[in-house]
Amino acid sequence: MTANPVSVNSNPCLISPEIGKSALAPAHPPLKLGVLASGSGSNFEVIAQAIQNQQLNAEIPVLIYNNPEAKAAVRAEKYGIPSILLNHRDCKSREELDTKIVKTFQEYDVEWVVMAGWMRIVTKVLFDAFPDRVINIHPSLLPSFPGIRAVEQALAAKVKITGCTVHIARLEVDSGPILMQAAVPVLPEDTAETLHARIQVQEHKIMLGAIALIAESNRKYCD
Ligand code: GAR
């Protein structure tokens, strides 16, 4: 799986429609995705919707959220997806939270982990249980602007182009092999809110594209 070059245009997403189609091969069992979300859950919902529309050969056996206020849990209910609150405030360490996450995902036979707006730093505990099988979405063109407030960082740096990235996650925050990126121009009048809203439109496309790529490679290498 390699990164594609990025273009800036009205539809900068780089997903081939063929990828989505071939990932639908009915003879292959759906990829079981365990999703982690902390907030609104719009990326989670895009995946759930694509699965419901049979655009992705995948399923979400469980959503884990860490914040009792997370709207992601409400979205999960809409799709009949079980959601489990694992509140980081109830854990003494990051490792303790990750141990609970791993146990839950294993109970639900999760194969790949999708961090869809997961605002916690994850540890070796998660990576050891799902080696090379954890993906993350981040609202910048990594390696630029890793960490928190990526959109604000881009505005402060006065870049003309920013965007979003889906990558295989590694121990260092927001690092690891890039699966897909989309570029988003920064407009002179942009605030963090307006820019983030346009980035999210592209996030939803590359999130689906990256999962379709994974489903496709899973299909090829399991044949
Ligand atoms: C997304 O913009 C995602 O890139 C970002 O949180 C937002 C979640 O939105 N993630 C990070 O900043 C992680 N470093 P959503 O809850 O609507 O999917």
Side-chain angles (χ1 to χ4, degrees):
M1 288 177 282
T2 53
N4 288 317
V6 173
S7 66
V8 183
N9 54 41
S10 58
N11 184 15
C13 180
L14 299 163
I15 305 162
S16 156
E18 296 310 309
I19 292 173
K21 276 184 206 156
S22 51
L24 273 178
H28 299 274
L31 200 62
K32 290 186 180 163
L33 307 172
V35 179
L36 295 169
S38 298
S40 146
S42 70
N43 279 285
F44 159 72
E45 178 154 6
V46 158
I47 305 167
Q49 182 76 63
I51 291 170
Q52 193 176 73
N53 296 345
Q54 300 190 322
Q55 291 165 326
L56 272 183
N57 186 27
E59 64 183 69
I60 303 174
V62 65
L63 164 80
I64 291 175
Y65 61 109
N66 65 307
N67 166 14
E69 311 298 320
K71 293 216 176 64
V74 179
R75 298 190 199 249
E77 210 176 331
K78 212 164 80 180
Y79 291 87
I81 294 171
S83 63
I84 294 181
L85 171 64
L86 295 179
N87 193 331
H88 59 280
R89 292 177 192 88
D90 299 335
C91 298
K92 288 188 200 72
S93 64
R94 295 187 193 283
E95 285 77 9
E96 187 182 332
L97 175 62
D98 287 357
T99 301
K100 288 181 182 174
I101 292 171
V102 167
K103 189 167 172 285
T104 305
F105 279 163
Q106 286 173 344
E107 279 166 12
Y108 282 87
D109 287 332
V110 161
E111 296 169 289
W112 278 76
V113 176
V114 180
M115 297 199 283
W118 183 246
M119 305 310 279
R120 305 295 306 164
I121 292 174
V122 289
T123 68
K124 203 170 167 308
V125 172
L126 183 70
F127 294 120
D128 284 352
F130 295 95
D132 288 332
R133 285 176 172 244
V134 180
I135 66 169
N136 180 45
I137 187 154
H138 185 75
S140 75
L141 291 174
L142 292 172
S144 293
F145 313 128
I148 58 167
R149 299 187 161 271
V151 179
E152 286 85 346
Q153 288 185 55
L155 284 174
K158 300 195 186 316
V159 293
K160 302 295 178 206
I161 297 169
T162 184
C164 46
T165 304
V166 176
H167 63 101
I168 305 274
R170 294 278 190 261
L171 204 47
E172 189 184 334
V173 172
D174 297 325
S175 75
I178 290 169
L179 294 173
M180 275 203 183
Q181 291 185 308
V184 176
V186 181
L187 306 178
E189 65 275 20
D190 262 331
T191 62
E193 288 69 33
T194 59
L195 181 53
H196 197 185
R198 289 205 314 287
I199 290 172
Q200 284 217 298
V201 172
Q202 300 308 324
E203 283 190 349
H204 297 162
K205 296 178 187 174
I206 64 168
M207 178 60 101
L208 293 187
I211 294 172
L213 271 180
I214 291 166
E216 168 70 359
S217 63
N218 205 50
R219 188 180 72 79
K220 267 193 202 140
Y221 298 119
C222 291
D223 275 348

